[in-house]
Each structure stands twice: as structure tokens, then as C-alpha cells.
Amino acid sequence: MESLNHVSLFSWLKEEQTLTFNAQTLSISRHLESELPNGAARYRCVYAEQSVESELARLLAALSQPVSLAYIVRKNALHCIELRLDKPLNETEIKQYALIDGVEFFSISPNQAVLNRCGLLVMDMDSTAIEIECIDELAVMAGVGEAVAEVTERAMQGELDFEESLRARVAQLKDADEAIIKTLCDKLPLMPGLTDMVTELQSYGWRLVVASGGFTPFVGHLKQLLDLDAAYANELVIEGGKLTGQVTGQVVDAQFKADTVERCAQAWEIPKGQRLAIGDGANDIPMIEIADFGIAYHAKPKLEAAADVAIKQLDLKVLPYLLQLL
């Protein structure tokens, strides 16, 4: 296997303007992200630490076909290179990239959604936009945490009907003081990378929506904090300062989430190909499947199998790198 100096390679890619990089008999060309490929296989490798570049250089040197590289820049601290090849990588080659710690590796379609055109992203909330499951946290604060967490996990795995599990969990909150809702809102932990991702998409005019099987106070908090376009969730019934153990109105279940993608796309005239959804649990599958591009985020196996791509190691800052900038 030919040696390839990763410092020289990545310095050339990020800082120089020459069109080719030569290392002994190996020649690597470069391209611009905006140059649409003509029949080429395209991959993007996203990473947080430059220390992985030596391993990436080793894999590039091992390729048995010509490669063109582009350094992809977004408005956050991650790094990304795009590979364009005459022939697709085989499963073994793809696995070598994907198994590097701190690396996300994706195949990029010629029809990939475009970052600098209007688009729609519908997000799940619990364990996607925020780090917690709100129902579980409320249950802990109400003293019924263990019983509720077990039902939540079974629902996320797709073992239980969502509405049935929702009502069963909320029933456990009966007589809890409504003050626990504000307490949790005040310390709601945003998912790492959420703010950067939202800010970048909004800078290009994207519409951003939360559709959650959680509860209205928390999606309302996110909507206001991040200036989102819409937010949907279930409404808890509160009487006399206490939770009644019930929800009221339309249940935001899997079908409601899927309908949200179509309804918002129609209302805002989002063109085909520009409708995205991201989630982590089985309840997000219909939403992921109806979107033009569905993203699994640190997801349960059933959701990951249904999605177009899966973010497994890094945070939400990865998402803009999945989109083309033309």
C-alpha cells in the first residue's frame, strides 16, 4: 500500500488551489462542491477531529481507482471531504470509513436536497432535538419514573401502540403538581449541535418544525427559543394546579407526524426533494418514510432501517453536510 502524507494532502485540499495532488505514483484531483457530477459515485466523510485524517489518507491511498476530492465547508466546526469516484465503493470499503471513531460516512445522491434553496425539516423532539424524554423526566419528578421509563422504551422500540402507551404513561402523572412542567422547561437540555444546525438552515430560508409525541409546553419552549416555524405536541390536562393524568385534543402520533410533513410542505410550497425529517424512534418511521430524505439520529434499529441515512457518532451539526450547496 502506498504511503500518503496526510498533512500534505489535507493542507493541499483546504488551502491550495492546484488541481492535482501527487504522491509518488498516486494522483488525486479536486473539484468544487457546486460542480454537479456526471455519473460519478459520491460520498461525504464528516468528522470532528483532524486526528482521523491520517487514517482517511491511508484509505484514500488504498483506492484502486481515480478519486477527486472537495473540502466541504459549512457554518460550524466539523470537517467534511467529498469523494467522487468512477465506480461505487463496495461494502467492505464503505465499512472501513464508517468504522473510524468520530467519522460519519454517507453516500450522496445526485438528487440530494439543496441547502441554498427553500426546504422543510420536520424534527422529532425527545432524544432528537433535546437530550431527554420529557415524559420520563416528568415521571421522575412525580415519583413514578421507573414505571414510565419501561413503557417509554417499549414504545420507542415499536413494541407498543403509541397512543395506548402515551395514555398509560400520562395516567401515571395523575395528581402531580403542574410546577414540574416549568421546572423542566427551565432546564431543557438541547441536543448538541441543534442550535448550529437550526441557525444554518434558517440562514438559507428553510422552514423548521417540531412534531412531537411529547407535550405542548416543551415544544412551545423550543419554538420560541429557536424561532421555529411551527411546533406540534400533545396537550396535558391540568386542573387546580394538578395534572389529571389525561391528554386532550388530537394525539400527535406517528401518522400525525407524517401528515405534518405533507401539510407543511403544501402550505409553504416546498418543492419536491426538499422535504426532510429527522427522528430517533419507531414512532418516527412514517414521517421518515414520507419525507423526501429521512434521517435517523442515534436511532433505534427499526427507525435506522427505514431512514435514508443514519447519523450514528456525531451530533446534529452533521445535517447541513448531507445537503448540496450549489
Side-chain angles (χ1 to χ4, degrees):
M1 184 183 301
E2 186 169 12
S3 174
L4 184 59
N5 185 308
H6 74 279
V7 175
S8 298
L9 173 65
F10 282 87
S11 294
W12 164 76
L13 186 61
K14 298 173 187 179
E15 301 169 10
E16 298 182 20
Q17 300 298 318
T18 54
L19 295 179
T20 58
F21 178 86
N22 297 297
Q24 299 179 27
T25 61
L26 182 68
S27 180
I28 296 175
S29 59
R30 72 187 312 150
H31 61 271
L32 299 176
E33 177 182 4
S34 58
E35 296 171 351
L36 292 176
N38 183 16
R42 263 199 310 172
Y43 302 91
R44 284 192 181 169
C45 180
V46 185
Y47 54 99
E49 302 296 333
Q50 291 177 286
S51 58
V52 305
E53 290 177 349
S54 58
E55 180 65 10
L56 295 177
R58 184 188 69 81
L59 294 176
L60 291 170
L63 289 172
S64 58
Q65 58 174 312
V67 59
S68 177
L69 300 178
Y71 187 64
I72 307 300
V73 176
R74 295 291 182 263
K75 299 174 183 178
N76 65 62
L78 297 181
H79 305 274
C80 177
I81 59 171
E82 179 178 277
L83 289 67
R84 291 188 181 178
L85 305 165
D86 293 336
K87 298 181 296 183
L89 298 173
N90 60 44
E91 289 186 12
T92 299
E93 290 171 323
I94 290 174
K95 190 174 182 180
Q96 288 180 315
Y97 288 92
L99 287 178
I100 302 173
D101 285 342
V103 166
E104 304 282 1
F105 195 75
F106 307 102
S107 176
I108 301 296
S109 164
N111 300 315
Q112 203 85 352
V114 178
L115 178 58
N116 52 332
R117 293 177 186 167
C118 63
L120 167 69
L121 175 64
V122 179
M123 301 177 282
D124 175 45
M125 179 177 69
D126 295 345
S127 298
T128 300
I130 62 175
E131 293 188 284
I132 61 171
E133 295 287 327
C134 285
I135 181 65
D136 291 353
E137 297 299 317
L138 290 176
V140 169
M141 297 166 75
V144 291
E146 187 174 334
V148 168
E150 181 180 349
V151 180
T152 297
E153 180 61 22
R154 292 182 64 195
M156 293 294 291
Q157 295 287 355
E159 298 174 4
L160 296 175
D161 171 77
F162 176 79
E163 183 171 350
E164 178 185 5
S165 72
L166 173 70
R167 294 188 186 279
R169 288 175 289 170
V170 172
Q172 296 286 333
L173 300 177
K174 184 178 180 181
D175 296 326
D177 194 311
E178 70 170 328
I180 64 176
I181 294 174
K182 183 179 186 307
T183 299
L184 186 55
C185 270
D186 289 343
K187 62 178 184 179
L188 206 63
L190 303 185
M191 189 64 70
L194 174 68
T195 301
D196 287 329
M197 178 196 75
V198 166
T199 299
E200 182 150 20
L201 292 176
Q202 288 175 332
S203 74
Y204 290 107
W206 279 60
R207 299 282 193 162
L208 302 180
V209 176
V210 170
S212 171
F215 306 111
T216 52
F218 307 112
V219 299
H221 176 78
L222 281 183
K223 182 176 184 293
Q224 182 176 13
L225 182 66
L226 300 173
D227 194 24
L228 305 178
D229 294 282
Y232 304 96
N234 298 296
E235 185 174 353
L236 293 165
V237 179
I238 300 172
E239 295 178 355
K242 300 286 186 180
L243 278 67
T244 68
Q246 299 172 309
V247 292
T248 186
Q250 171 72 54
V251 170
V252 178
D253 58 8
Q255 187 58 52
F256 186 99
K257 289 184 174 187
D259 292 343
T260 297
V261 176
E262 290 198 315
R263 185 173 60 251
C264 290
Q266 183 176 8
W268 294 321
E269 299 182 341
I270 305 300
K272 186 173 177 59
Q274 293 288 107
R275 302 169 300 173
L276 277 61
I278 184 168
D280 72 294
N283 192 48
D284 299 315
I285 290 175
M287 174 178 76
I288 290 294
E289 291 181 332
I290 205 165
D292 300 317
F293 189 61
I295 304 162
Y297 181 74
H298 295 213
K300 301 295 188 291
K302 287 186 179 180
L303 188 278
E304 187 173 308
D308 293 294
V309 298
I311 299 172
K312 299 180 181 182
Q313 299 193 58
L314 302 179
D315 64 32
L316 289 172
K317 292 193 294 291
V318 170
L319 191 147
Y321 293 96
L322 295 170
L323 310 178
Q324 302 181 91
L325 185 57
L326 302 181

